[in-house]
Amino acid sequence: MGPVRSTCPYCGVGCGVLLSADGEGGLSVKGDPDHPANFGRLCSKGSALGETVGLEGRLLSPVVEGRKTDWDSALDLVASRFRDTVAAHGPDSVAFYVSGQMLTEDYYVANKLMKGFIGSANIDTNSRLCMASTVAGHKRAFGTDTVPQTYEDLEEADLIVLVGSNMAWCHPVLFQRVLAAKKAHGTRVIVIDPRRTASCDGADMHLKLRSGSDVALFNRLFAEIWDSGALDREYIRHIDGFDETLAAAGVADLSVTGLTEAEVAAFCRIWIGTEKVVTVFSQGVNQSTSGSDKVNAILNCHLATGRVGKPGCGPLSVTGQPNAMGGREVGGLANMLACHLDLENPDHRRAVRDFWSAPAMPEAPGLKAVDMFRAVGEGRIKALWIIHTNPAVSMPEADAVRDAIAACDFTVISEITPETDTARLCDVLLPATAWAEKDGTVTNSDRTISRQRTALPIPGEARPDWAILAEVGRRMGWSAAFDYESPAEIFREHAALSGIAGGFGRDFDISGLADLDDAGYEALAPARWPIRAGRQGGRFFADGAFFHPGGRGRMIPVRYRPPAARTAPRYPFRLNTGRIRDQWHTMTRTALSPRLSAHLAEPYLDIHPQDAANMALAPAALVQVRSPEGSAILRARITSDVLPGELFAPMHWTGETAPSGRIDAVVAAATDPVSGQPESKGCVVAVEPFRAVWYGFAVSSARLDPTCSYWARARTQAGWRAELAGGTQVEDWEAEARRLFGLPEAEVQSVEDRARGVARIALHEKGRLLAAIFVSPEPVAIMRDYLVSLPGTDAADTLTGRAPADRPDPGPVVCSCFNIGANTILSAIETEGLMTVDAIGAALSAGTNCGSCRSELAGLIARVRTREAAE
Ligand SMILES: Nc1nc2c(c(=O)[nH]1)N[C@H]1C(S)=C(S)[C@@H](COP(=O)(O)OP(=O)(O)OC[C@H]3O[C@@H](n4cnc5c(=O)[nH]c(N)nc54)[C@H](O)[C@@H]3O)O[C@H]1N2
Ligand SMILES: Nc1nc2c(c(=O)[nH]1)N[C@H]1C(S)=C(S)[C@@H](COP(=O)(O)OP(=O)(O)OC[C@H]3O[C@@H](n4cnc5c(=O)[nH]c(N)nc54)[C@H](O)[C@@H]3O)O[C@H]1N2
Ligand code: SF4
Ligand SMILES: [Mo]
């Protein structure tokens, strides 16, 4: 049997993968050369999928109040508690909080159960934190939530503008496509981001605007389009709102962007002068209290020039999660119905009610994520089911969200592991089948529907998310409506409903798949919607046909508004947050891979050198970040990548990996008034040095569970590593080390200087190193990337903390496919005179597999060249 064709479970690029199981639980993963998203390419995360499918830490049976139980008891409990709560307090006293990572079939059933049968619209999703502003912006402009473009436009374009998108790290395979186009025909790339990112390497221009100021910049572009006569008068006859939009744009004050007139003029000249321009946007646009306005400011410019839905020409929202689009299609947000039908439209409601034979349909939108968790905290929501998301980490005001979940009368979570911050708070844990065990469809950023297929056996008692939901639906009394036996059956129902939506003139119509039989579903090849009689795929809106009444489009007048919170002497910094290359969200899967954990092993805070100097911060110091909502402790990285007064911290660390590094504890839950999306990238904070009494670095064969004020642990090839820091003096480091590592009997080697507060302890057994800790009153300076390789070896000279001369320290991993560190690459650049990324590839293989590190390799070359030039 050949490999199984499936789709990567991470980002919205939606790469096709070929899976081969080895029959012993292992899985090899390769890029699918025939998939139209990636043509065989994969990024570092996709390539490491095989390392994340083991059963270690998996939830394999239902758990109620901490005790394993059988499915019947767990499901009866969930069904009866939801039924009783609705009976006692009404349908709006319960809620589902779901995820853009659920398969379309899972999502469809969840939405149907809540909106059609429980009779509340209290189902919202983590897409509220992610795509809600784009959904709102699309609907305001186009009358529908539709991405007009396709990925091929990245190859067709002459100019690609990345607005608030770190594509090199977050949509790496698309970035590879952009770089290939640049190489082939000189496509220009402009990055608009307050921070210098990996996506800036090789870009033709980087506009380092002040965070939150995008509307002012795009309003200026709009005004310039008018002034320069670039308006497409023919096209805008199909579009309302031009005069008001121009009036609003004309007052744009550029000073809020911090950019120079010359920079902005150059940007406008290139944008206006290049017919084939694709403006890509992502979370730097969406996650803002003016997120919807930012989206419309961008769409206005494309509408004014008629640059929409043409080859190489149009706005392209890149989606985050693998099925963010599918969730929007099934109506997973609290203000949507299903198949792009509107909850507030009585005709639409009636049609869906009839189609489902639904007993109860809500007439008004339900609670959006932030309000939903506030309602949980206030006791208005009394039963909550969380599926495929980790809100105790990823929601703003995460401490309050954590407390709300803990205090809620009845909480259920469907998960693949009990070891998440949210799962630890829930009353009922339901074991779900994971990626490669489950089966269904996802829709990627360019409307391509692909299959995820099963390649591994279902472990323990895990069940697919759709099956769990349907079973609860049946036990709540709706047997016929939830009588599904397979995802294919659900998919057919969804496709049939989309045909009804098509009848209302909606664009999401996949009725061409409504009669797909099981074999056809099994064999379904990637296909872009719409899929109906007379049309498949293609682009939208180039013909001026939109979805507002009368088939018209709209330009939306928008004005710059500052972020919700103003900086003030107490909170002088603006905090930007986001992603790193090799971790996925709350790390429940990517942190299982030692390779992925080697890239950046600790939560950090980027701070400008001027600001660091003002508070006399030393490199690698720990800092405490505080807001009115909460605080975090992070490692300072002093860098002019960020603007003075602005900070950046990654979103990934959790109670499991670095309890004081949970950045959403600090982030305020201010939301966009139109979309309800929180401002995850612009709260205000104070920063001060965190004065630890001691700092430590530990390596170990077994997992360690520290309890000190600061710790961050990560997996390594040889076991684990941890950064540590404590606020109280330790008297006896040998005893402390034995306790920390759980090794009371091991042989010890140690050097301790109590007066100076320095200690180095190594614990051995039968001549092999089990664990070691290095302690100092300052951040520990030792060769970490060498030391992590020592557990399990004889490692006689561990305590020196340095690599022997014949085994140089490789430095932090840059290329995770071939496990090649920065020092190794830097030394090859110097000694072999390597001038290009390809030359590094030829010499060391680095960057030749997935290519995700190519921009960092370019950065290392630049570093050597700058140093040489200075010498
Ligand atoms: N490696 C990795 N890839 C991922 C994910 C992951 O967890 N890890 N998650 C996936 C998901 S769900 C999503 S939503 C996407 C997100 O993908 P991206 O949106 O590309 O990622 P982020 O790092 O959240 O933010 C992008 C950039 O916005 C910038 N930014 C902040 N404020 C502003 C502003 O006011 N204006 C502008 N113009 N820019 C600003 C930040 O500096 C940052 O570089 O990534 C997907 N891909
Ligand atoms: N400060 C800040 N906060 C942010 C962001 C930011 O940029 N800055 N970004 C926001 C964005 S865009 C997003 S998308 C969110 C993401 O935030 P979350 O959705 O909370 O993050 P994940 O880690 O992806 O959570 C997925 C959970 O589902 C579990 N899981 C995995 N497979 C399955 C399965 O098959 N079935 C079930 N039932 N469960 C499974 C995983 O173990 C994990 O616990 O974070 C948001 N939060
Ligand atoms: S770019 Fe990487 S994470 Fe995104 S779908 Fe492709 S392989 Fe997966
Ligand atoms: Mo996202």
Side-chain angles (χ1 to χ4, degrees):
M1 224 179 63
V4 174
R5 274 175 208 277
S6 188
T7 313
C8 174
Y10 297 126
C11 84
V13 176
C15 295
V17 289
L18 299 176
L19 308 179
S20 312
D22 64 7
E24 290 164 18
L27 189 69
S28 104
V29 182
K30 292 201 169 60
D32 179 352
D34 299 325
H35 197 286
N38 59 320
F39 299 107
R41 295 182 182 94
L42 290 181
C43 76
S44 49
K45 293 181 300 300
S47 316
L49 273 166
E51 289 175 33
T52 64
V53 295
L55 296 185
E56 184 194 335
R58 275 293 293 276
L59 176 66
L60 295 174
S61 55
V63 172
V64 174
E65 303 297 354
R67 258 188 235 109
K68 274 189 196 168
T69 183
D70 56 88
W71 270 111
D72 260 338
S73 325
L75 291 165
D76 280 339
L77 178 67
V78 173
S80 63
R81 286 297 296 261
F82 270 82
R83 202 176 41 225
D84 295 349
T85 309
V86 170
H89 305 281
D92 290 335
S93 64
V94 303
F96 293 172
Y97 183 63
V98 302
S99 164
Q101 296 171 59
M102 291 165 81
L103 303 176
T104 296
E105 294 75 4
D106 305 332
Y107 231 137
Y108 178 86
V109 178
N111 193 52
K112 178 176 177 182
L113 177 57
M114 184 52 90
K115 293 203 181 114
F117 290 79
I118 291 177
S120 167
N122 281 344
I123 171 169
D124 210 38
T125 129
N126 62 0
S127 287
R128 184 69 59 194
L129 319 177
C130 181
M131 302 315 303
S133 296
T134 290
V135 173
H138 280 160
K139 287 177 88 165
R140 288 201 297 187
F142 305 143
T144 180
D145 172 27
T146 298
V147 174
Q149 307 304 128
T150 71
Y151 290 161
E152 290 86 68
D153 294 324
L154 298 172
E155 278 97 23
E156 298 263 355
D158 295 318
L159 170 65
I160 293 170
V161 183
L162 302 178
V163 196
S165 155
N166 182 9
M167 195 190 253
W169 280 11
C170 296
H171 298 90
V173 164
L174 289 186
F175 196 67
Q176 292 299 314
R177 287 179 68 160
V178 169
L179 292 183
K182 193 168 174 51
K183 198 163 172 186
H185 48 84
T187 314
R188 280 199 277 191
V189 177
I190 297 179
V191 177
I192 300 177
D193 195 309
R195 188 169 71 103
R196 187 188 160 77
T197 65
S199 306
C200 298
D201 287 313
D204 300 86
M205 184 188 284
H206 174 203
L207 294 183
K208 207 171 175 181
L209 83 178
R210 285 225 157 258
S211 121
S213 65
D214 305 70
V215 168
L217 177 65
F218 280 90
N219 271 353
R220 170 60 71 88
L221 176 61
F222 192 89
E224 290 286 325
I225 289 170
W226 165 250
D227 287 347
S228 62
L231 202 64
D232 183 339
R233 290 176 185 280
E234 188 52 37
Y235 189 72
I236 67 165
R237 287 208 296 200
H238 305 282
I239 297 160
D240 298 321
F242 174 73
D243 293 335
E244 303 89 296
T245 304
L246 183 63
V251 298
D253 171 11
L254 270 190
S255 68
V256 297
T257 65
L259 301 169
T260 64
E261 284 286 343
E263 278 177 301
V264 176
F267 165 65
C268 292
R269 203 164 47 239
I270 298 175
W271 199 98
I272 293 169
T274 314
E275 178 68 22
K276 287 191 166 188
V277 49
V278 173
T279 308
V280 175
F281 54 99
S282 188
Q283 298 315 337
V285 168
N286 292 333
Q287 289 173 336
S288 154
T289 45
S290 50
S292 309
D293 286 355
K294 288 187 186 188
V295 171
N296 286 108
I298 294 169
L299 300 183
N300 287 343
C301 295
H302 278 277
L303 289 169
T305 48
R307 296 174 181 173
V308 186
K310 296 179 183 160
C313 181
L316 174 61
S317 143
V318 282
T319 52
Q321 301 177 87
N323 201 28
M325 292 282 266
R328 287 145 74 173
E329 290 149 22
V330 303
L333 290 154
N335 50 337
M336 295 167 34
L337 197 44
C339 299
H340 286 199
L341 292 169
D342 288 320
L343 189 63
E344 284 163 291
N345 180 318
D347 295 332
H348 291 185
R349 266 202 319 269
R350 200 169 313 116
V352 178
R353 193 188 59 207
D354 292 349
F355 180 79
W356 282 343
S357 306
M361 292 273 292
E363 296 184 0
L367 294 170
K368 301 185 175 115
V370 167
D371 294 330
M372 181 184 282
F373 282 99
R374 287 201 176 128
V376 172
E378 290 161 12
R380 284 182 285 132
I381 301 282
K382 299 173 195 302
L384 173 68
W385 189 351
I386 297 167
I387 306 176
H388 211 324
T389 175
N390 193 359
V393 181
S394 56
M395 281 286 294
E397 297 182 12
D399 286 350
V401 168
R402 193 174 58 182
D403 296 347
I405 299 170
C408 184
D409 287 352
F410 185 65
T411 49
V412 184
I413 189 165
S414 303
E415 252 295 351
I416 59 166
T417 166
E419 296 171 7
T420 80
D421 292 15
T422 308
R424 290 194 190 281
L425 303 169
C426 290
D427 300 310
V428 180
L429 275 53
L430 303 175
T433 50
W435 176 79
E437 298 156 9
K438 60 186 188 178
D439 192 21
T441 55
V442 290
T443 309
N444 73 2
S445 299
D446 83 344
R447 286 178 278 115
T448 301
I449 299 173
S450 298
R451 291 274 278 108
Q452 273 193 19
R453 292 189 177 87
T454 307
L456 292 171
I458 292 181
E461 294 176 55
R463 292 188 183 178
D465 282 310
W466 66 263
I468 303 173
L469 281 154
E471 186 66 52
V472 170
R474 290 199 289 269
R475 284 169 201 241
M476 287 183 78
W478 301 300
S479 324
F482 294 95
D483 188 20
Y484 301 115
E485 294 203 337
S486 70
E489 205 183 327
I490 303 167
F491 184 84
R492 281 191 289 270
E493 182 178 315
H494 174 47
L497 179 56
S498 80
I500 294 176
F504 281 105
R506 307 313 295 176
D507 53 355
F508 174 73
D509 185 343
I510 55 166
S511 54
L513 299 174
D515 298 324
L516 206 62
D517 60 14
D518 288 357
Y521 181 75
E522 195 39 53
L524 187 67
R528 186 177 290 139
W529 66 257
I531 303 167
R532 58 172 164 83
R535 176 160 183 198
Q536 167 157 1
R539 299 178 178 82
F540 278 90
F541 315 129
D543 54 1
F546 294 93
F547 291 83
H548 282 302
R552 299 184 60 75
R554 279 184 201 152
M555 293 185 205
I556 306 295
V558 289
R559 288 190 173 77
Y560 166 76
R561 274 180 290 118
R566 305 291 182 98
T567 52
R570 257 168 79 86
Y571 298 109
F573 292 100
R574 194 164 293 288
L575 174 67
N576 175 6
T577 64
R579 291 160 171 77
I580 64 173
R581 192 189 75 191
D582 286 356
Q583 292 297 347
W584 177 260
H585 296 162
T586 71
M587 302 166 88
T588 61
R589 287 173 294 170
T590 39
L592 299 174
S593 157
R595 276 197 291 154
L596 296 180
S597 302
H599 180 234
L600 290 165
E602 192 185 18
Y604 61 85
L605 182 79
D606 282 346
I607 181 166
H608 192 271
Q610 240 166 277
D611 295 321
N614 287 343
M615 61 182 100
L617 267 191
L622 289 174
V623 288
Q624 180 146 34
V625 184
R626 264 186 314 103
S627 74
E629 282 67 39
S631 76
I633 303 171
L634 309 165
R635 186 77 59 187
R637 297 202 320 188
I638 301 171
T639 165
S640 47
D641 286 352
V642 292
L643 288 163
E646 296 195 3
L647 308 164
F648 176 83
M651 64 170 289
H652 305 288
W653 276 270
T654 68
E656 302 290 320
T657 48
S660 68
R662 293 166 59 245
I663 200 64
D664 271 307
V666 175
V667 176
T671 55
D672 179 281
V674 185
S675 68
Q677 180 156 354
E679 189 146 68
S680 314
K681 292 190 164 22
C683 70
V684 297
V685 297
V687 179
E688 61 208 30
F690 174 77
R691 300 213 190 279
V693 175
W694 58 267
Y695 297 82
F697 175 73
V699 294
S700 162
S701 301
R703 184 166 102 169
L704 63 173
D705 294 291
T707 50
C708 44
S709 346
Y710 173 81
W711 60 263
R713 70 179 166 211
R715 233 168 262 261
T716 63
Q717 304 284 356
W720 293 82
R721 63 185 283 175
E723 299 288 344
L724 311 160
T728 48
Q729 210 55 259
V730 173
E731 285 309 317
D732 179 348
W733 271 107
E734 183 184 327
E736 180 67 16
R738 288 188 182 282
R739 195 195 53 75
L740 171 66
F741 298 118
L743 295 170
E745 308 288 332
E747 302 147 34
V748 66
Q749 273 183 326
S750 73
V751 201
E752 254 189 270
D753 180 340
R754 291 198 182 184
R756 285 177 49 228
V758 173
R760 295 182 171 196
I761 318 276
L763 296 171
H764 292 259
E765 195 179 80
K766 300 198 185 103
R768 286 182 314 112
L769 180 74
L770 294 179
I773 183 167
F774 300 79
V775 183
S776 138
E778 302 296 328
V780 188
I782 42 171
M783 292 187 174
R784 289 174 166 70
D785 301 290
Y786 163 72
L787 293 170
V788 296
S789 67
L790 297 185
T793 71
D794 57 12
D797 55 357
T798 308
L799 293 189
T800 63
R802 338 210 113 257
D806 60 341
R807 265 198 70 185
D809 173 22
V813 167
V814 174
C815 168
S816 53
C817 293
F818 294 106
N819 203 15
I820 305 176
N823 294 347
T824 311
I825 297 163
L826 284 169
S827 107
I829 295 172
E830 280 178 64
T831 55
E832 299 178 38
L834 307 177
M835 300 293 277
T836 62
V837 173
D838 288 338
I840 297 179
L844 300 172
S845 297
T848 57
N849 183 42
C850 79
S852 302
C853 64
R854 289 177 68 89
S855 45
E856 278 153 278
L857 296 178
L860 292 177
I861 297 173
R863 209 205 291 179
V864 175
R865 296 287 159 261
T866 334
R867 198 165 62 212
E868 285 173 351
E871 280 163 7

